[in-house]
Amino acid sequence: MKKIALEFINLIENSGYKAYIVGGFVRDFLMKKESYDIDITTNATPKEIQKIFSSVTVKRPINDEDNYGSVRVVYKNIIFEVTTFRKELEYLDNRHPSRIFYVDDLETDLKRRDFTINAICMDKNSNIIDPLQGKLDIQNKIIRTIAPSEASFKDDALRILRAIRFMVTLNFKFHPDVIIAIKKTKQYLKNISYERKKIELDKIFASPYAKRGIEIIKELELEEALDLKNLDRIQDYTDLIGIWAMINSDSYRFTRHEKELIKKVNIVYEMDNLDPKVLYKYGLYVNILAGINKGINKKRIIKAYSNLPIKSKNDIKVTAKEICLLLNKQPSYFLQDIYRQLEDLILTGKLENENDILLTYIQKNFKEIYI
Ligand code: ATP
Ligand code: MG
């Protein structure tokens, strides 16, 4: 990956511009961690970048206002987020700078970034360029803002969540100024869109350190500013949807599928989720999420589920054709009715799921009704 990244910046340099790898990739490289997307900083403008990669790559200018002046290039299957050296003027609404200037020097660009650990560069010869001493902070495992912390978070309150994300996922500590500044500026989080906040929260909740992340959010008393209620309801931290289901917030947006799951988990949470009918109706995943957050052992739920005599209607050992033949009827709505009753009886142990037993039962109980 590094080889392709160096190749990529060489292509930009060969067209007469300066280009460096920056951000997560360099940070993770120095920590000997895997990284996925690669951020590039360059004095070439997005248009010039598009020209350089016009024939070999898929490229897309990022139109969303937060990414003004960036272009995403897919080169040899790796996503490169290419951003032009810039300086940002006075921030509005705790997120957006009032103006952005393109600049020609790297150091000015590095100074507008969030944390020292994210402002380390690698040039085309693998040399590390680190004027803000980010490497030292990596060694000491410290999250330190580049600008004074309070001003930095006031300019862009999303940095508060980024600080927490890096702190928990890298297992770093906050510089004391960061803690003081978060306490002073947390109200500005209200001005950040839920969409942006969710991206960072998802990264925290999906990480192996979700528990620590949620503890930090509580310690810093950010629940109100983030509209994260019910954090105390969370008993299990291994599943992103499980966490969001316990929070059960109307402010954050989810896909239709996620919304459905969250709703079901909350329904099952109020029920006895070792009840075979509940296990059958809502399935294993939803029952695990609801159950483990109530402190029920996951293995117990899996065992109860695997002991179900049927997992779906298809497991009922009598076909629609057999029922129709037996009752001498054309298939219609009545089949649904019969299956529903069979389901119930089988799940509650009142009827064995065996073909001859089911046929006898149908013969005895439904023959009269459905003539
Ligand atoms: P990841 O590993 O998640 O990609 P990253 O540090 O690369 O982490 P990105 O969101 O990809 O984070 O951003 C790339 C770089 O852009 C960051 O390393 C940082 O230098 C800068 N940056 C991103 N968001 C901000 C922000 N809100 N304020 C200041 N600088 C930022
Ligand atoms: Mg990145």
Side-chain angles (χ1 to χ4, degrees):
M1 201 161 170
K2 181 176 155 231
K3 195 171 151 252
I4 300 172
L6 293 178
E7 209 174 287
F8 185 87
I9 51 178
N10 261 301
L11 283 170
I12 305 175
E13 295 251 344
N14 290 343
S15 303
Y17 304 101
K18 294 182 238 172
Y20 305 88
I21 313 172
V22 70
F25 184 85
V26 185
R27 182 191 69 227
D28 294 343
F29 171 79
L30 291 171
M31 295 181 68
K32 303 189 172 39
K33 279 178 160 227
E34 269 294 320
S35 208
Y36 301 99
D37 61 329
I38 300 181
D39 303 289
I40 302 292
T41 185
T42 175
N43 62 348
T45 62
K47 273 209 178 100
E48 289 163 338
I49 291 294
Q50 278 173 287
K51 233 184 247 165
I52 297 171
F53 293 99
S54 61
S55 57
V56 283
T57 51
V58 186
K59 60 206 165 335
R60 189 162 68 81
I62 302 162
N63 289 325
D64 128 33
E65 54 176 333
D66 274 8
N67 287 301
Y68 166 77
S70 291
V71 63
R72 186 171 293 156
V73 183
V74 181
Y75 176 76
K76 297 197 173 171
N77 279 327
I78 295 174
I79 300 171
F80 289 88
E81 202 86 53
V82 187
T83 306
T84 309
F85 291 166
R86 66 177 61 177
K87 189 177 162 72
E88 293 165 348
L89 275 198
E90 202 194 340
Y91 278 70
L92 311 167
D93 64 25
N94 314 112
R95 172 75 190 145
H96 300 104
S98 57
R99 263 187 82 182
I100 287 170
F101 284 105
Y102 287 151
V103 294
D104 204 52
D105 71 305
L106 175 66
E107 215 168 310
T108 308
D109 179 80
L110 293 181
K111 282 191 187 138
R112 59 101 187 161
R113 292 173 184 270
D114 49 7
F115 307 108
T116 53
I117 58 165
N118 289 343
I120 312 170
C121 291
M122 187 186 284
D123 74 6
K124 61 179 184 200
N125 301 315
S126 291
N127 294 318
I128 296 291
I129 300 162
D130 181 25
L132 303 172
Q133 257 112 61
K135 235 171 112 173
L136 197 67
D137 283 335
I138 289 183
Q139 273 163 22
N140 295 323
K141 295 177 172 277
I142 285 180
I143 306 286
R144 183 199 308 261
T145 54
I146 292 169
S149 300
E150 195 177 332
S152 178
F153 295 151
K154 196 173 170 197
D155 278 350
D156 179 357
L158 188 67
R159 291 173 183 161
I160 297 175
L161 277 182
R162 287 177 58 86
I164 296 171
R165 195 242 296 181
F166 292 122
M167 186 246 197
V168 298
T169 58
L170 304 174
N171 195 19
F172 279 24
K173 287 190 186 62
F174 288 138
H175 184 279
D177 289 351
V178 169
I179 303 175
I180 296 167
I182 291 180
K183 287 185 178 155
K184 284 192 181 157
T185 57
K186 63 183 177 191
Q187 288 310 316
Y188 298 124
L189 277 166
K190 290 185 179 168
N191 298 339
I192 306 288
S193 74
Y194 280 102
E195 200 187 342
R196 291 273 159 190
K197 285 187 279 211
K198 183 161 180 290
I199 294 172
E200 290 302 324
L201 288 170
D202 276 345
K203 288 184 183 173
I204 297 170
F205 295 165
S207 80
Y209 315 100
K211 183 165 193 240
R212 179 87 191 104
I214 289 167
E215 277 166 8
I216 295 291
I217 289 171
K218 285 197 233 172
E219 274 168 33
L220 295 167
E221 296 174 3
L222 302 180
E223 296 103 310
E224 198 252 341
L226 291 168
D227 194 21
L228 289 177
K229 299 185 193 88
N230 307 323
L231 291 184
D232 289 331
R233 235 179 137 206
I234 306 166
Q235 297 294 315
D236 177 82
Y237 301 88
T238 56
D239 190 284
L240 183 61
I241 289 297
I243 293 175
W244 280 117
M246 289 301 103
I247 293 170
N248 204 14
S249 160
D250 290 330
S251 303
Y252 293 87
R253 297 266 158 267
F254 298 90
T255 64
R256 190 191 295 206
H257 176 64
E258 290 170 334
K259 254 191 232 161
E260 236 163 66
L261 282 173
I262 288 171
K263 197 170 151 196
K264 283 182 183 169
V265 173
N266 279 290
I267 292 172
V268 174
Y269 188 81
E270 301 300 333
M271 300 170 114
D272 169 9
N273 76 318
L274 293 172
D275 177 340
K277 281 210 238 176
V278 177
L279 284 163
Y280 177 86
K281 181 169 179 195
Y282 293 97
L284 183 60
Y285 180 57
V286 165
N287 271 282
I288 286 181
L289 294 188
I292 49 181
N293 279 298
K294 282 197 289 189
I296 300 173
N297 188 293
K298 187 173 167 178
K299 280 194 189 138
R300 249 184 97 194
I301 305 168
I302 295 173
K303 189 151 176 244
Y305 185 79
S306 67
N307 283 342
L308 287 180
I310 48 170
K311 307 265 190 317
S312 81
K313 221 164 86 179
N314 296 335
D315 296 339
I316 300 179
K317 286 190 183 146
V318 62
T319 64
K321 210 169 153 188
E322 286 171 321
I323 300 176
C324 290
L325 254 166
L326 185 70
L327 300 179
N328 194 22
K329 279 181 68 73
Q330 293 297 316
S332 80
Y333 69 91
F334 78 93
L335 281 167
Q336 233 185 32
D337 211 29
I338 291 184
Y339 273 121
R340 205 169 294 139
Q341 293 191 45
L342 293 179
E343 249 172 18
D344 234 66
L345 292 164
I346 296 169
L347 285 167
T348 49
K350 292 182 186 130
L351 194 60
E352 215 177 316
N353 186 26
E354 289 300 339
N355 186 258
D356 50 343
I357 295 175
L358 297 177
L359 284 172
T360 313
Y361 183 87
I362 295 165
Q363 164 93 358
K364 215 163 125 193
N365 292 279
F366 297 117
K367 191 91 186 180
E368 307 287 289
I369 305 173
Y370 297 114
I371 35 172

